[in-house]
């Protein structure tokens, strides 16, 4: 298990990359017609920031992550990692999805090593696999198979598979969405600890306003599809954060209001 995050700020300079999303529009082709998904999205993320995206289901949050990852290109606009235009996937930007998607026939160690193996550098960097497993608390399960892991452990293995590449930008697409509530709270603390320790830039999609406020420096609230930015909210609290903090409760109320959910407060 990853050590809990402390109240200290990141103890070393950020190693993450800056991310610039400029005038991005995107649409899907469905039955010969264009379905707008993103509209005039402009966002600047500084190196080492932890930014959460919140918005209605189906508004385009995950699509924006795919554009950042380089898995798709926008219809118009530009995305840049530092000063380099994003046009294709790169090991410096790694995605962790809601499902761990571990290969059932490979051990935990072999699953984590997959990225290095694909790059042809595993022989020279085997220690990085062991280091990543230690970082997420799975060293004792290096020889286990995915069916022998709990949901939380499987997601830790997916995180280790991402971290072994030493990403500059960690892209998280609802990675805790299918975990039980207690495991989810534990994993939230572990994500903050990993981010503080490594200093990568983090972009998280979540449907949980509380989760966004516990984890992120900034919360970006998106509109209904086609998604545009409705609000960019700074979360000015040190870590660890407490769910009962009245300041966080007030921000949560603001966010729910922006999403049209005032009555649920």
């Amino acid at each position: 298990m990853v050590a809990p995050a402390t109240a200290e700020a990141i103890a070393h300079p950020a190693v993450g990359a800056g991310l610039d999303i400029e005038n991005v529009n995107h649409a899907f082709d469905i039955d010969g017609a264009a379905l707008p998904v993103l509209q005039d999205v402009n966002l600047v993320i500084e190196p080492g920031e932890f930014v959460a995206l919140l918005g209605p289901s189906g508004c385009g949050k995950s699509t924006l992550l795919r554009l950042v990852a380089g898995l798709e290109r926008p219809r118009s606009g530009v995305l840049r990692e530092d000063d380099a235009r994003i046009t294709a996937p790169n090991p410096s930007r790694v995605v962790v999805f809601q499902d761990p998607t571990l290969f059932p026939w490979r051990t935990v160690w072999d699953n984590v090593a997959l990225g290095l193996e694909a790059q042809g550098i595993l022989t020279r960097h085997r220690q990085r696999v062991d280091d990543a497993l230690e970082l997420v608390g799975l060293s004792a399960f290096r020889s286990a198979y995915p069916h022998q892991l709990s949901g939380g452990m499987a997601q830790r293995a997916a995180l280790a598979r991402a971290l072994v590449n030493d990403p500059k930008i960690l892209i998280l697409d609802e990675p805790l969405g299918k975990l039980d509530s207690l495991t989810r709270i534990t994993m939230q603390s572990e994500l903050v600890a990993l981010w503080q320790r490594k200093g990568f830039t983090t972009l998280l999609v979540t449907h949980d306003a509380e989760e966004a406020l516990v984890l992120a420096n900034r919360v970006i609230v998106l509109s209904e599809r086609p998604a545009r930015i409705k609000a960019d909210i700074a979360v000015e609290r040190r870590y660890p954060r407490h769910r009962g903090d009245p300041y966080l409760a007030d921000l949560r109320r603001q966010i729910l209001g922006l999403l049209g959910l005032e009555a649920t407060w």
Side-chain angles (χ1 to χ4, degrees), residues 17-246:
L19 179 63
D20 187 5
I21 301 171
E22 182 179 340
N23 299 324
V24 164
N25 294 274
H26 196 54
F28 295 142
D29 289 321
I30 298 180
D31 294 330
L35 176 67
V37 179
L38 301 172
Q39 179 179 323
D40 297 326
V41 176
N42 288 275
L43 182 61
V44 176
I45 299 175
E46 298 296 329
E49 278 197 290
F50 196 133
V51 175
L53 301 178
L54 268 174
S57 181
C59 75
K61 299 183 297 297
S62 294
T63 298
L64 183 56
L65 291 195
R66 290 180 63 82
L67 298 182
V68 171
L71 298 172
E72 297 182 34
R73 292 192 185 187
R75 288 291 182 94
S76 64
V78 177
L79 297 95
R80 295 185 183 89
E81 177 186 337
D82 290 334
D83 295 324
R85 188 165 182 164
I86 297 172
T87 59
N90 189 285
S92 67
R93 301 182 307 276
V94 182
V95 186
V96 177
F97 295 102
Q98 187 176 73
D99 292 310
T101 61
L102 303 176
F103 290 112
W105 60 87
R106 297 177 70 112
T107 65
V108 168
W109 195 97
D110 288 333
N111 267 286
V112 172
L114 194 60
L116 301 181
E117 184 179 319
Q119 296 176 62
I121 60 174
L122 178 58
T123 301
R124 300 195 310 273
H125 296 285
R126 295 180 65 85
Q127 186 59 42
R128 283 167 60 177
V129 181
D130 295 327
D131 292 344
L133 287 171
E134 182 176 358
L135 193 62
V136 301
L138 285 181
S139 294
F141 291 86
R142 53 181 285 134
S143 299
Y145 287 89
H147 74 273
Q148 297 173 308
L149 305 179
S150 67
M153 292 165 67
Q155 201 56 276
R156 287 194 190 101
L159 277 170
R161 184 176 56 192
L163 296 174
V164 77
N165 293 296
D166 287 332
K168 292 185 175 182
I169 300 177
L170 183 64
I171 302 166
L172 303 171
D173 193 359
E174 294 194 80
L176 311 182
K178 291 188 176 181
L179 301 180
D180 66 84
S181 59
L182 294 180
T183 303
R184 186 167 184 160
I185 289 171
T186 299
M187 288 292 294
Q188 287 170 355
S189 297
E190 294 181 2
L191 273 176
V192 171
L194 288 169
W195 165 69
Q196 288 184 313
R197 190 174 303 175
K198 301 293 287 185
F200 42 68
T201 303
T202 303
L203 187 60
L204 166 74
V205 158
T206 177
H207 283 99
D208 187 332
E210 181 181 274
E211 179 170 88
L213 293 167
V214 168
L215 295 180
N217 300 135
R218 293 161 62 195
V219 178
I220 308 300
V221 182
L222 300 175
S223 69
E224 295 275 358
R225 187 182 67 244
R228 61 190 185 282
I229 294 176
K230 295 183 71 172
D232 185 340
I233 299 170
V235 186
E236 298 176 349
R237 274 293 187 269
R238 298 181 72 189
Y239 299 92
R241 294 174 181 165
H242 302 285
R243 288 165 172 77
D245 185 339

